[in-house]
Amino acid sequence: MSLRTACAVGLGRLTSWGLRRVLHRNASQLPGRVALGVDPHALEELAGKVRQGSIVVCGTNGKTTTNNVLASAVEATGAGILCNRAGANMAAGVTAAMLSGSAADWAVMEADELSTVHILPALQPRYLVLLNLFRDQLDRAGEIDHVQDTIVQSLASSPETTLLACGDDPLSMGVARRAAQRGTKVMTFGIGEDLHLPPDRVPEARFCQVCGAELAYDYRTYAQLGAFRCPNGDFERPALDFVATGVTADRTGVSFTAGGPGFGGNSATLHAGFGGVYMVYNLLAAYAAASLAGVDGLTFQRVLDGYHPENGRLQHFVVDQREVVLNLAKNPTGFNQNISLLMADDRPKAAYFVINDDFNDGKDISWIWDVDFERLVAPRAADRVIAGGHRANDLQVRLKYAGIQADIADNVEEALRIAGDLDAACPLYVLTNYSALWPAKAELERMGERHD
């Protein structure tokens, strides 16, 4: 390690110590910024202390849960790991997670899609897990083709990395096709059966990544994911290496059998008490990557048995005897999946949607017009709808066009008061985008108790 890198690492660790021990603050980003400010190649140097290799998880939705389940599974084998569990997924956050003084067997890191261009060349990971791609934060990320270009470029800078991609997602497979042409090894995962679900409205990814023809589907699971094929024969879902069958998914959780040639003929039946259909993909991807790192099915299931969602992802609270479900929803697909989960709950219920427009949310919130709020007018979908956040009035207008008269609340406590005339057995679903998630979580932790 050069003197410059040693100084960078030392200052980064000192910053982390000061934040945690003196100021009692989160140290998931700033120590990495300090280290990279002193030595821009600090992350590349730190990667050398990882003995077995790195696994990087990226994708529009589901990164944090997938990454944390994967990290816990690898750790359950007795391996030492480094992981950015708090979800700080840009280069500074990954660097901060790598600043630990001890060496490790594996680094398991969540990465923002656009930040892969910095993270992959430095870590040279053994595997990159690509969960899905959806339009998200257009004023920062741009259109999907820009995100795809970035990931392909990142893989070209890490030639030994194997791409583990969602074979059901045409956009992810567009990346895989281009990366494979440049020599990247590709493995795929997906759901191997028709779940007979009502298809979502798909505002994007309807067209072949090769010739532009509209894709046909044997079945769809959600959004653009499913058994797709180009009518001209240019592009189709590949034969899957890791396959989920026997899938059940509802508000109580998910279960499925994970099989396929990637598992070497050793299938495992997995179940978890959280999530919807999208969680099947997340957990299948986590188990596929974990198996490549030497984790067996029994160990992975033990991890799921003890895993409780953190960071506001599908966390459950009880406030004055009322169940409150908190989750992140930051783009049309995320919102639509949360609405599906809400509608699978046949109890009377209230929904509180919170939309901010801070930097990490994106100032452009025009995406709310692509959310299928119209489904909430169905009987028993939501007995009370409440809007909140900096853009509460914009959201209220969008809901009005969907035929929904929404109240406005400034915080969760006020939303609970508005929902107070409903029976105490009626849950409140709180769906927020990025900057609103942590305040809502802190408020719920202050008012109530967590319920796993």
Side-chain angles (χ1 to χ4, degrees):
M1 183 179 293
S2 69
L3 178 60
R4 184 176 184 179
T5 303
C7 290
V9 171
L11 286 172
R13 288 174 180 167
L14 180 62
T15 303
S16 180
W17 178 87
L19 287 170
R20 295 179 190 277
R21 299 303 181 97
V22 179
L23 300 178
H24 305 290
R25 299 288 296 276
N26 184 291
S28 63
Q29 287 269 15
L30 185 58
R33 290 178 186 162
V34 170
L36 291 172
V38 176
D39 181 4
H41 300 290
L43 180 56
E44 183 178 347
E45 293 287 340
L46 289 166
K49 67 180 183 179
V50 180
R51 290 183 287 263
Q52 296 293 321
S54 301
I55 304 173
V56 174
V57 178
C58 80
T60 308
N61 292 344
K63 293 186 289 289
T64 300
T65 298
T66 304
N67 191 67
N68 290 354
V69 169
L70 170 58
S72 296
V74 175
E75 191 174 35
T77 65
I81 67 159
L82 296 170
C83 182
N84 54 346
R85 292 183 185 272
N89 58 24
M90 296 188 183
V94 173
T95 303
M98 295 286 289
L99 283 171
S100 168
S102 57
D105 297 300
W106 290 91
V108 182
M109 296 292 170
E110 170 187 344
D112 171 79
E113 297 81 79
L114 296 184
S115 294
T116 57
V117 75
H118 305 295
I119 295 168
L120 262 64
L123 289 184
Q124 296 288 308
R126 288 180 63 176
Y127 303 103
L128 173 66
V129 181
L130 179 56
L131 295 172
N132 48 58
L133 290 173
F134 306 112
R135 295 173 79 232
D136 185 48
Q137 294 181 297
L138 293 181
D139 48 353
R140 181 183 76 88
E143 288 290 351
I144 288 288
D145 55 356
H146 172 57
V147 178
Q148 291 178 303
D149 291 344
T150 301
I151 299 173
V152 171
Q153 177 186 348
S154 303
L155 286 164
S157 68
S158 184
E160 299 304 313
T161 298
T162 295
L163 174 62
L164 175 59
C166 179
D168 289 2
D169 178 17
L171 294 175
S172 294
M173 292 316 299
V175 170
R177 178 180 177 276
R178 292 166 58 190
Q181 290 173 342
R182 299 186 180 197
T184 296
K185 180 181 177 181
V186 175
M187 303 182 80
T188 58
F189 64 90
I191 293 177
E193 62 191 16
D194 188 353
L195 303 183
H196 303 288
L197 298 172
D200 295 341
R201 179 164 57 93
V202 181
E204 68 230 24
R206 293 163 45 202
F207 303 103
C208 175
Q209 295 279 292
V210 179
C211 71
E214 186 166 1
L215 294 173
Y217 282 81
D218 296 327
Y219 57 83
R220 291 216 320 254
T221 50
Y222 78 94
Q224 76 267 12
L225 276 65
F228 65 88
R229 51 188 167 80
C230 172
N232 296 326
D234 296 318
F235 184 61
E236 64 182 353
R237 182 178 77 163
L240 301 171
D241 297 293
F242 304 95
V243 189
T245 55
V247 174
T248 61
D250 56 33
R251 71 177 181 86
T252 65
V254 300
S255 67
F256 60 94
T257 297
F263 291 117
N266 298 316
S267 63
T269 299
L270 304 173
H271 53 86
F274 50 89
V277 172
Y278 65 93
M279 193 60 69
V280 175
Y281 283 101
N282 293 346
L283 296 182
L284 177 62
Y287 179 45
S291 70
L292 293 171
V295 180
D296 61 60
L298 290 176
T299 300
F300 192 84
Q301 182 58 57
R302 281 198 298 270
V303 167
L304 291 182
D305 291 340
Y307 182 81
H308 302 295
E310 300 283 355
N311 303 322
R313 273 71 166 181
L314 277 176
Q315 283 190 254
H316 289 241
F317 300 86
V318 176
V319 180
D320 295 331
Q321 299 183 310
R322 189 183 302 281
E323 179 186 2
V324 182
V325 182
L326 175 65
N327 204 12
L328 176 70
K330 62 188 179 73
N331 51 43
T333 298
F335 249 101
N336 286 338
Q337 282 301 290
N338 273 284
I339 289 172
S340 294
L341 200 61
L342 183 152
M343 294 181 68
D345 185 345
D346 58 5
R347 298 173 292 178
K349 66 193 79 70
Y352 179 37
F353 303 134
V354 188
I355 300 295
N356 284 347
D357 60 355
D358 290 345
F359 173 76
N360 54 340
D361 305 306
K363 291 292 183 182
D364 182 354
I365 68 156
S366 60
W367 56 267
I368 64 175
W369 292 90
D370 289 329
V371 178
D372 284 338
F373 288 117
E374 283 76 7
R375 288 194 291 162
L376 293 174
V377 301
R380 304 299 292 274
D383 296 83
R384 187 68 49 82
V385 176
I386 308 158
H390 303 161
R391 305 299 289 268
N393 294 118
D394 300 78
L395 186 54
Q396 191 180 39
V397 170
R398 169 66 184 96
L399 290 165
K400 183 177 181 180
Y401 273 85
I404 299 165
Q405 187 64 43
D407 297 295
I408 288 183
D410 291 332
N411 49 51
V412 179
E413 186 173 10
E414 189 174 344
L416 283 164
R417 282 200 300 270
I418 292 172
D421 59 341
L422 298 176
D423 186 271
C426 301
L428 172 68
Y429 283 78
V430 180
L431 306 180
T432 81
N433 62 351
Y434 272 127
S435 67
L437 184 67
W438 290 106
K441 181 175 182 286
E443 191 180 0
L444 285 165
E445 288 173 340
R446 175 180 57 81
M447 290 191 299
E449 62 180 21
R450 176 170 168 175
H451 177 68
D452 293 324

